[in-house]
Amino acid sequence: MSQATNQSWGGRFSEPTDAFVARFTASVTFDQRLARQDIQGSIAHATMLARVGVLTDEECDTIINGLTEIQGEIERGEFNWSIPLEDVHMNIEARLTDKIGITGKKLHTGRSRNDQVATDIRLFMRDEIDVIEAELVRLREGMIELADREADTMMPGFTHLQTAQPVTFGHHLLAWQEMLTRDHERLLDCRKRVNVMPLGAAALAGTTYPIDRHVTAELLGFDRPAENSLDAVSDRDFAIEFTSFASILLMHLSRMSEELVLWTSAQFNFIDLPDRFCTGSSIMPQKKNPDVPELVRGKTGRVYGHLMALLTLMKSQPLAYNKDNQEDKEPLFDAVDTVRDCLKAFADMVPAIEPKKDSMYEAARRGFSTATDLADYLVRKGVAFRDAHEIVGQSVAYGLKTKKDLSEMTLEELQQFSATIEQDVFEVLTLEGSVAARNHIGGTAPDQVRAAASRAREALAALKGDA
């Protein structure tokens, strides 16, 4: 280490880095989060160097023991992080040299901070993806179980936020679950591209030492080493792909949150959220605010921002590594934290949703939600659909004038619009009859909802088995 510059790379420099520049370019304040992965990668690298004869077995053991002790210092909060040492890698390496002497300086043989940090981030992302997947699985399992229980609970289905046709609460929840299924598949697909090892690419062109990258990849649990050294050190597609997944997931959670916020309002009164997921007002004692879904809805924007930040970060970079890439970590770290916390909140909250079945039922009865069923009824009786559409429109206009739902009209009132209508019409004008009539895969019939929940449960179990 150069005494003149006090930097691990300072041999060719004639003066120390400006104090402000040292702070400005340092990343240790945030990349120390990668310490566990950095030590994990260093242990695998040292093990590989010993296997190919670059290090002796004794040197390897000394390095591994020193790194293990440093890991303990970090976990106990005893490690002294230094800004002049710039980053997590040099802080750990300097501490290792302090502990074991010149052998510590041999650890960096055959690698660069460029391939080292790329490896650390991938190890970190792999760990975090596994945690996030566990929360996503927990949410999906809770949502499927709730949907199964509420397969018969009537509620209005909406288009344009206007009452359209009756559905069930279970069917609606399974629509949410379908969104999460696609998110889950995207996450697992992203993990495949995360699990590629850059280590061994060194600064950009590989190394002249007789390393064995397949050994290191196996030790670290990577599927394979990266094929091209230039791409290996400069690729951040996996980070962009993760934040893309995160953005789509948060968009879905935000849509769910919007409905939860609406449904808990006095105007809808469809559901109740347990008190532990809500807060009150400092001035209005009656208030019970759905803060968890509101916050999830609000956090969506920051994740979108992280995706745009990473795309912008990478869009103009020539090969290979550039200092710009130091800016990848903070948005990525925050996206990881935000996704994990939002999923945990939803996984805890969704199974505890309490539907207000009477309110949902009454809401489904309003707005002429069985009008389409009446049109379909007429078509089955031989009326052309466009004529049936007009007949039902006239019936709805009459209902608006008399303040009667279609199911509340007498047979004589309905027959003034079409003599084709008979007594059996009332079988399709009830909510139960309407929902039960859509008895096909993907339909609203309670038996179909339960079957869909069963298929979703089986598909989730299979996905977990493949992961």
Side-chain angles (χ1 to χ4, degrees):
M1 180 178 293
S2 168
Q3 295 301 313
T5 62
N6 196 32
Q7 293 288 348
S8 60
W9 41 259
R12 63 94 68 209
F13 286 77
S14 60
E15 62 178 349
T17 304
D18 179 83
F20 165 74
V21 173
R23 292 196 307 275
F24 184 70
T25 59
S27 59
V28 68
T29 54
F30 51 84
D31 71 12
Q32 60 183 261
R33 183 169 180 174
L34 298 173
R36 183 171 63 82
Q37 287 81 17
D38 194 71
I39 290 172
Q40 182 184 0
S42 291
I43 289 174
H45 182 64
T47 302
M48 180 275 295
L49 290 177
R51 289 192 189 181
V52 299
V54 173
L55 294 177
T56 67
D57 289 342
E58 182 180 356
E59 287 172 330
C60 179
D61 291 342
T62 302
I63 287 171
I64 291 175
N65 290 337
L67 289 170
T68 303
E69 290 175 10
I70 291 170
Q71 179 69 53
E73 292 175 5
I74 294 170
E75 291 173 353
R76 295 189 298 272
E78 299 170 358
F79 192 89
N80 182 29
W81 297 101
S82 168
I83 286 180
L85 289 173
E86 294 186 330
D87 55 36
V88 61
H89 323 294
M90 297 317 304
N91 269 263
I92 291 174
E93 184 178 321
R95 177 60 180 146
L96 180 65
T97 302
D98 288 342
K99 289 178 72 69
I100 67 173
I102 193 171
T103 302
K105 295 183 178 182
K106 296 184 178 183
L107 173 61
H108 208 54
T109 304
R111 74 175 181 183
S112 162
R113 283 188 294 177
N114 294 357
D115 62 340
Q116 188 176 357
V117 68
T119 301
D120 289 358
I121 296 172
R122 287 175 181 269
L123 288 170
F124 169 82
M125 286 306 304
R126 190 178 68 188
D127 292 343
E128 292 296 331
I129 284 173
D130 290 346
V131 172
I132 287 167
E133 194 213 355
E135 290 297 333
L136 185 52
V137 166
R138 196 162 67 88
L139 171 56
R140 289 185 62 196
E141 288 175 340
M143 195 173 283
I144 292 168
E145 291 308 312
L146 182 60
D148 204 357
R149 290 199 304 272
E150 304 300 334
D152 294 289
T153 301
M154 301 293 169
M155 68 175 290
F158 300 95
T159 63
H160 309 277
L161 206 57
Q162 305 295 313
T163 299
Q165 292 178 279
V167 296
T168 71
F169 188 40
H171 190 65
H172 195 111
L173 289 168
L174 288 181
W176 289 0
Q177 202 282 138
E178 286 297 306
M179 300 178 192
L180 295 179
T181 299
R182 296 190 293 273
D183 294 326
H184 195 168
E185 292 169 350
R186 273 186 283 269
L187 179 64
L188 293 180
D189 201 46
C190 173
R191 192 187 189 280
K192 296 175 185 176
R193 282 174 285 282
V194 167
N195 205 33
V196 177
M197 189 191 72
L199 202 59
L204 77 161
T207 177
T208 59
Y209 294 97
I211 62 171
D212 190 332
R213 298 183 67 213
H214 291 283
V215 168
T216 318
E218 183 178 353
L219 289 169
L220 291 173
F222 284 111
D223 291 334
R224 60 178 176 86
E227 285 286 341
N228 183 278
S229 61
L230 289 169
D231 181 63
V233 297
S234 60
D235 169 37
R236 295 297 183 271
D237 288 3
F238 64 93
I240 294 170
E241 187 172 357
F242 175 82
T243 49
S244 175
F245 147 79
S247 296
I248 297 172
L249 171 68
L250 263 293
M251 176 268 290
H252 288 151
L253 295 184
S254 184
R255 292 182 69 187
M256 299 173 200
S257 295
E258 176 74 4
E259 293 186 317
L260 292 172
V261 170
L262 287 172
W263 292 349
T264 57
S265 69
Q267 288 70 28
F268 274 78
N269 196 35
F270 281 4
I271 65 167
D272 187 42
L273 294 177
D275 290 351
R276 63 185 179 276
F277 300 107
C278 303
T279 64
S281 165
S282 62
I283 188 173
M284 296 170 284
Q286 85 281 10
K287 293 294 295 298
K288 180 179 176 180
N289 300 324
D291 277 10
V292 167
E294 286 179 351
L295 266 177
V296 170
R297 185 176 60 185
K299 287 179 181 293
T300 302
R302 70 194 289 165
V303 175
Y304 289 0
H306 296 326
L307 173 59
M308 291 310 300
L310 290 173
L311 284 167
T312 306
L313 175 72
M314 296 304 299
K315 75 175 183 65
S316 299
Q317 285 196 41
L319 289 171
Y321 183 84
N322 300 277
K323 189 67 169 177
D324 312 44
N325 283 348
Q326 183 171 294
E327 290 295 302
D328 64 353
K329 295 168 196 62
E330 290 175 288
L332 187 58
F333 290 165
D334 189 72
V336 164
D337 293 343
T338 302
V339 167
R340 186 185 60 243
D341 290 350
C342 289
L343 281 173
K344 175 174 171 48
F346 258 65
D348 290 342
M349 178 180 65
V350 166
I353 292 173
E354 299 174 9
K356 297 183 176 181
K357 299 183 180 184
D358 291 343
S359 294
M360 283 184 169
Y361 192 92
E362 286 305 311
R365 292 183 68 249
R366 298 191 298 269
F368 305 95
S369 64
T370 58
T372 303
D373 297 279
L374 178 56
D376 291 341
Y377 168 88
L378 289 167
V379 170
R380 287 193 296 272
K381 293 283 187 177
V383 179
F385 181 80
R386 284 302 167 200
D387 293 336
H389 191 285
E390 184 174 354
I391 291 168
V392 176
Q394 293 171 350
S395 303
V396 169
Y398 176 79
L400 289 170
K401 182 179 179 180
T402 60
K403 298 182 179 180
K404 287 184 177 182
D405 184 69
L406 294 173
S407 62
E408 296 172 327
M409 296 179 190
T410 64
L411 179 61
E412 290 72 21
E413 285 175 308
L414 290 169
Q415 285 178 332
Q416 66 182 308
F417 305 107
S418 174
T420 306
I421 298 173
E422 298 176 332
Q423 186 65 37
D424 61 350
V425 72
F426 294 104
E427 296 176 10
V428 303
L429 293 183
T430 64
L431 299 183
E432 292 80 3
S434 174
V435 167
R438 294 187 285 277
N439 190 21
H440 53 75
I441 186 169
T444 59
D447 285 347
Q448 290 290 347
V449 174
R450 293 188 184 92
S454 179
R455 289 193 298 272
R457 199 178 291 113
E458 291 173 2
L460 177 54
L463 195 62
K464 287 165 59 179
D466 291 340

